Amino acid sequence: MATGILPMEIAVYAVPVVTLILGLLIGYLAQRSGYCSIGGFRDFALFRHTRLLSGYLTLILASFAGYLLFWFLVPSSMEHFFWAFTSDLFVPIPGAPAGLSPAAYLLFSAVPGFLIGLIAVLLGGCPIRLTVMASEGSLKAAWFFIGMCVGSILFAALVSGWVVALMKTLGFGA
Amino acid sequence: MPTSNQTRKYLSVLARHPAFLGALIGILAAFSQALLISAGGPEAYGFCVACHTRDLVNGMTNLIADTTLSLAAISKNAILPVMSVTGVLIGAYLAARVNGEHKIRRSDPKTHVIYFLCGILVLNLAMIFGGCPYRAALRTGYGDITALLFIATMAIGVVLGTLVLLKREENKEDN
C-alpha cells in the first residue's frame, strides 16, 4: 500500500478539499487559455497551429517531470514509477475494467482512443473544453456534461459488465 | 527593470497560454498523488475529467441513495469523492463572468439531444480505456505504454474527424 505525505486519517478528509482547489485553478486557467487536447491535434492538422497542441504536449512532459520529482522526494507515494519498468510492458495502470488479458487492454486503448478523437473533434472539443464551454453558457455543452453524468451510472450499472462479458466470450479472459 | 505594469502584462499573457496550464496540471497532478495517495489508488489519477466525473456522480449517488456503484478507491475511502470537476465548473464560470465572456448560447433541440447522447458515449468509451485524454497524458508520463497507444489512435481519429469537417464545409459552399 502506497503512502503519501498525509497519513490516511487526514488524507480521507483532504481528498475533496485538495481536488476542489486544484479543479478551481485548472477551470479558471482553462477558460482563459481555451485549453483543449483534441483541439491541439485539430488545429495542427488544419492550420499547422501549435498553440493548443503545445499545451497537451507540455502536459505529458510536465507530468513525467512532476512524477520524477516526487518520486525522488516521496518515493513511497510513487510505488510503481516508472510503470513500464516495474510491471509487464503492455499492462495498463488500473482504471479500466479488471480481469482481462493484456491483448484486451491494447484494444481498450486503441479503439476508445480512435473513437473519442473522432467524436470529440466533431463535437468541437475534448471533455474539459466542453465542460468549460458549459460554464461559459453553452447549452449544448451543458447537455454533453449531463450525458457524461448519466453515462457514469450507466457504465457502472450495466456497460462495464457487458464489456467484460463480451471480451471473455471473445477469448480475451485473463 | 520592468515596471510592475509590464510584469503584470507578461504574467497575464503567460497565464493565458495553454502550455502554462499543461505544465501546471502535470506538476499539480504529481503533487496531489504525493499528498493524497494514502487515501487510495489508482496511480496517475491526479486529474481526469471523465473518471473524476464518474467518481463524483457515482460517489454522491452511493451516499444519497445507498447504492454500490463502482468508483476509484481514493473516492470510495475519502469522506467525499474527488471534487476536481466541480472545481473546473465553478472556476471556468468565475473566469467567464469576471472577463465578461459568460453568455447563454442556445442550439436547436436536435443538437442538444446529439450532445447528450455523445456525452453518454464518450464517458463510456473513456471508462473502457480508464481515462480521458488528460489521464492518458498523465499515464504516459507515469510510464504506461498503453496510454501512449491511446494518444496515438486519438490523433488518428482527430485527423480523420477534421477531414470530415472539411468535407462538410465544402458541401456547404457548393449549396
Side-chain angles (χ1 to χ4, degrees), chain A:
Chain A
M1 184 74 191
T3 45
I5 298 169
L6 297 177
M8 168 118 186
E9 304 81 61
I10 300 174
V12 291
Y13 289 96
V15 164
V17 181
V18 172
T19 51
L20 181 67
I21 295 169
L22 235 120
L24 281 170
L25 196 62
I26 293 172
Y28 193 94
L29 292 173
Q31 200 278 333
R32 297 316 299 148
S33 60
Y35 197 75
C36 181
S37 59
I38 305 281
F41 292 106
R42 178 198 59 203
D43 289 355
F44 187 75
L46 278 177
F47 315 115
R48 295 287 179 272
H49 285 180
T50 52
R51 185 183 156 89
L52 281 178
L53 187 63
S54 73
Y56 190 62
L57 298 182
T58 315
L59 170 61
I60 300 175
L61 295 177
S63 65
F64 173 72
Y67 287 127
L68 189 68
L69 174 70
F70 284 100
W71 180 58
F72 277 118
L73 296 178
V74 200
S76 64
S77 69
M78 302 285 157
E79 237 184 336
H80 298 102
F81 187 81
F82 189 74
W83 187 266
F85 300 153
T86 60
S87 58
D88 286 332
L89 202 54
F90 294 115
V91 171
I93 296 173
L100 296 170
S101 68
Y105 291 112
L106 287 181
L107 274 181
F108 280 4
S109 299
V111 178
F114 177 77
L115 289 175
I116 288 178
L118 185 61
I119 297 169
V121 77
L122 295 177
L123 295 181
C126 67
I128 200 179
R129 180 70 199 130
L130 286 164
T131 309
V132 169
M133 277 165 66
S135 280
E136 287 173 346
S138 162
L139 289 184
K140 61 181 185 187
W143 276 108
F144 178 87
F145 187 77
I146 296 168
M148 289 215 299
C149 294
V150 175
S152 307
I153 295 179
L154 281 180
F155 184 79
L158 299 169
V159 180
S160 63
W162 293 343
V163 170
V164 171
L166 176 72
M167 294 307 279
K168 282 188 174 158
T169 337
L170 293 174
F172 286 104

Side-chain angles (χ1 to χ4, degrees), chain A residues 153, chain B residues 53-67 69 71 75 79-83 86:
Chain A
I153 295 179
Chain B
T53 303
R54 187 266 322 260
D55 280 6
L56 179 67
V57 171
N58 290 3
M60 293 315 269
T61 312
N62 286 348
L63 283 177
I64 295 165
D66 208 24
T67 48
L69 299 167
L71 66 168
S75 297
I79 50 157
L80 284 172
V82 286
M83 288 288 165
T86 322

Side-chain angles (χ1 to χ4, degrees), chain B:
Chain B
M1 276 295 283
T3 61
S4 74
N5 249 346
Q6 260 174 325
T7 319
R8 199 178 292 168
K9 211 174 115 196
Y10 286 135
L11 279 178
S12 110
V13 170
L14 183 70
R16 271 185 279 127
H17 200 287
F20 174 70
L21 179 57
L24 194 76
I25 298 177
I27 304 285
L28 285 179
F31 172 65
S32 101
Q33 174 170 336
L35 197 65
L36 302 172
I37 193 78
S38 306
E43 287 163 283
Y45 199 66
F47 183 69
C48 174
V49 180
C51 321
H52 287 195
T53 303
R54 187 266 322 260
D55 280 6
L56 179 67
V57 171
N58 290 3
M60 293 315 269
T61 312
N62 286 348
L63 283 177
I64 295 165
D66 208 24
T67 48
T68 52
L69 299 167
S70 64
L71 66 168
I74 186 167
S75 297
K76 204 182 286 177
N77 298 339
I79 50 157
L80 284 172
V82 286
M83 288 288 165
S84 19
V85 181
T86 322
V88 169
L89 283 169
I90 300 172
Y93 176 75
L94 289 178
R97 262 289 142 96
V98 168
N99 296 283
E101 287 171 12
H102 185 275
K103 188 169 167 261
I104 298 292
R105 291 178 189 82
R106 287 171 206 284
S107 315
D108 55 303
K110 196 180 133 207
T111 311
H112 288 171
V113 173
I114 291 172
Y115 271 71
F116 174 70
L117 294 176
C118 282
I120 296 179
L121 185 62
V122 166
L123 193 284
N124 279 279
L125 288 168
M127 284 305 107
I128 289 173
F129 162 66
C132 69
Y134 295 94
R135 191 168 179 236
L138 297 182
R139 276 168 58 170
T140 307
Y142 206 71
D144 184 339
I145 309 285
T146 61
L148 195 59
L149 177 66
F150 175 93
I151 294 175
T153 57
M154 185 177 88
I156 297 171
V158 171
V159 171
L160 209 74
T162 53
L163 293 180
V164 175
L165 286 178
L166 284 174
K167 197 94 197 151
R168 213 188 265 173
E169 284 301 307
E170 272 172 26
N171 288 344
K172 245 183 228 166
E173 276 163 26
D174 289 345
N175 290 339

